[in-house]
Amino acid sequence: MSAVAVPVSRVERALAGWLIEQRPRVQRLPVAVLSREQTAAELQRLQARKAMEAAYEAELILALADDSPDDDDPAPGTPGARVRSWKPDPELPGVSEFFPAELAMVLNCGRLSASQRAHRAWTYRTHLPAAWAAMRAGQLDEYRAMTLVDVLQHTDPAIARAVESRLLPEAADLTVGRLRKRALQLLLELDAEAAERRREQARRRSDVRVYPSPQEGMATIAADLPADVAAACHALVDELARMLKADGDDRPIGELRTAVFADLLQRPWDDTRPPVTAHLQIIATLASLAGRSDEPGEVNGLPITAAQLRELVQQLDALGVRTSEGGSVTLALADEDGTLRATSTFDQLRRLARRGCVEHPAADCTCAVLDRPEATDRYEPSAGQHRFVRTRDRACRFPTCGQRVGWADADHVVPHAHGGATDCGNLCCLCRSHHRLKTFARGWRFSMSADGVLTVTTPSGITRTTRPPGMRPPPPAPDPPPAEPDDDPPPF
């Protein structure tokens, strides 16, 4: 992937810099004075502008990618070399493997979304140049262009252009569904193996995901499956739910399906399998736990209502708590602004309560008996530090990422080899991908304050800051006092 270098004068670059610094302006018409026909025409013009902006975005993404060659990436067989993932992101030939992370920072989106947008732009350049030109001219909307990318991205560029040349004259007049169908028909006519490659790509990217639901206290679990397997699974769940309904269960059929689905996965009746232990991280205010507040807490990163939280805590006997055998519960103690001060297990908390202050065992002193774990001279963080950092961060702290804390490393922000302390003020959770980026990618800068506020700057100069999830932002600065009036009155 390469671009032709165009000589640029200092004046042109300075002018470009000045234009970039200007606030973006949206060209708007006074909607209230438009006639019905003018409003419809302006909507059509807006769609054309959006297509032109999408084409411009793709051009900018490719320019940034061209400035991010893979020359400095760890070579195969060297320390830090990339291990091929079971679920690889789309790659751009000759572009750094760390480019999607930088693009995610620039666009303020997830890495996978950034990677897909970069791959789409690359597909416009190599496979669909005529469709890209039609977008630049406002003649083809982005949604239809994305449909062509989705169908043709895994085929040979020459075949993709052949399909493009036959479809483009009528693309804007076809529904998106018809356009997809026609593109697939032409692709199978010209490249019968393309469908199998698409299925293989989809299979390798399949996964099971969980999302917070718009309804309070609910979440959605989803799995990518072959269409026939998904249909069979749904039919089974539906049939079992209807059997419950026929037996007199008066719950709505949708609720019965969800109950059947959960039981099929968890199999509460099957005692032949080894038990799965629970390791929960409960984060809530004391007022919420005691029932004096409806402020929601969190359980393993999914928001729940205060009522559900209290119910869960009662199930764990958490105000005189018993932890289930083989499981664990972590308590988080925070300041009023949400800054984490200490973490503890219930057993540790009971022991500390019984022991009291070792310096004043018989006195009611104000000495701290529970605080942030002390720094260690070792490279590997202590168990207490691991618990504190994971409780504070709850996920990968890289901006735009949110990988679960269970899949993250406790990374030294200032590397240990360069004098960085193994201290909670210098440790943060990074998923393996962003840990590798911080260690091996050139031009990135990471810094963190003692209370865990992480700042990351990309090689292109984009800076973003992440705060620990429980920490509230500082209050806005007060307005400056009004200027003192001049002693001398103005002349009249």
Side-chain angles (χ1 to χ4, degrees), residues 221-469:
I221 186 169
D224 302 312
L225 297 169
D228 57 332
V229 176
C233 290
H234 185 272
L236 174 62
V237 168
D238 182 66
E239 181 64 25
L240 292 174
R242 293 185 184 281
M243 290 170 63
L244 289 175
K245 195 75 169 175
D247 287 341
D249 196 317
D250 61 356
R251 287 178 291 176
I253 189 65
E255 184 179 354
L256 290 175
R257 290 192 192 102
T258 58
V260 167
F261 178 81
D263 281 350
L264 288 174
L265 283 180
Q266 299 180 61
R267 303 176 67 86
W269 60 84
D270 187 355
D271 58 3
T272 63
R273 302 186 181 197
V276 178
T277 58
H279 300 278
L280 294 180
Q281 180 188 89
I282 300 175
I283 302 170
T285 63
L286 289 177
S288 179
L289 292 178
R292 301 191 304 271
S293 167
D294 288 330
E295 182 179 350
E298 290 191 5
V299 174
N300 284 5
L302 292 177
I304 65 172
T305 64
Q308 288 172 313
L309 179 62
R310 288 191 287 269
E311 180 182 353
L312 174 63
V313 171
Q314 288 170 1
Q315 289 173 356
L316 295 172
D317 197 19
L319 291 175
V321 175
R322 295 191 307 269
T323 304
S324 57
E325 183 179 356
S328 67
V329 176
T330 298
L331 281 171
L333 308 179
D335 288 334
E336 291 183 359
D337 66 353
T339 302
L340 185 65
R341 287 296 306 272
T343 57
S344 172
T345 65
F346 284 114
D347 289 339
Q348 181 187 9
L349 204 63
R350 290 193 186 98
R351 288 196 303 269
L352 288 171
R354 287 195 302 265
R355 186 186 67 184
C357 175
V358 295
E359 298 292 334
H360 309 90
D364 184 14
C365 66
T366 58
C367 299
V369 295
L370 184 64
D371 208 337
R372 194 164 78 174
E374 294 183 357
T376 176
D377 294 333
R378 302 191 307 263
Y379 169 78
E380 182 63 28
S382 66
Q385 288 175 325
H386 270 295
R387 184 170 63 236
F388 183 95
V389 171
R390 287 172 177 243
T391 302
R392 181 196 68 197
D393 292 349
R394 309 185 204 175
C396 173
R397 289 289 307 284
F398 187 87
T400 76
C401 189
Q403 187 66 268
R404 295 179 183 178
V405 70
W407 296 349
D409 301 328
D411 173 67
H412 291 74
V413 178
V414 177
H416 189 263
H418 297 163
T422 304
D423 179 79
C424 295
N426 189 47
L427 295 169
C428 74
C429 288
L430 292 179
C431 68
R432 186 56 54 87
S433 173
H434 290 125
H435 193 172
R436 289 185 60 254
L437 176 147
K438 177 179 174 294
T439 305
F440 296 104
R442 298 285 184 89
W444 290 79
R445 299 193 301 276
F446 287 68
S447 63
M448 193 173 76
S449 64
D451 55 2
V453 178
L454 181 69
T455 300
V456 180
T457 302
T458 72
S460 52
I462 301 298
T463 297
R464 296 196 184 277
T465 297
T466 65
R467 306 175 69 81

Side-chain angles (χ1 to χ4, degrees), residues 127-131 140 148 152 157-174 178-179 181-191:
H127 289 56
L128 301 167
L140 181 68
L148 292 176
L152 300 173
I159 294 175
R161 294 182 185 190
V163 174
E164 175 191 55
S165 66
R166 293 172 63 174
L167 276 181
L168 198 55
E170 59 175 339
D173 297 323
L174 295 174
R178 286 286 301 161
L179 179 62
K181 184 175 181 181
R182 289 277 293 122
L184 283 169
Q185 290 172 340
L186 290 172
L187 178 60
L188 292 176
E189 176 185 326
L190 298 173
D191 185 6

Side-chain angles (χ1 to χ4, degrees), residues 151 154 184 187-188 191-204:
V151 174
H154 301 302
L184 283 169
L187 178 60
L188 292 176
D191 185 6
E193 296 180 357
E196 183 58 35
R197 288 197 296 272
R198 285 169 55 84
R199 277 194 293 270
E200 175 63 16
Q201 287 283 341
R203 184 188 67 80
R204 287 180 60 81

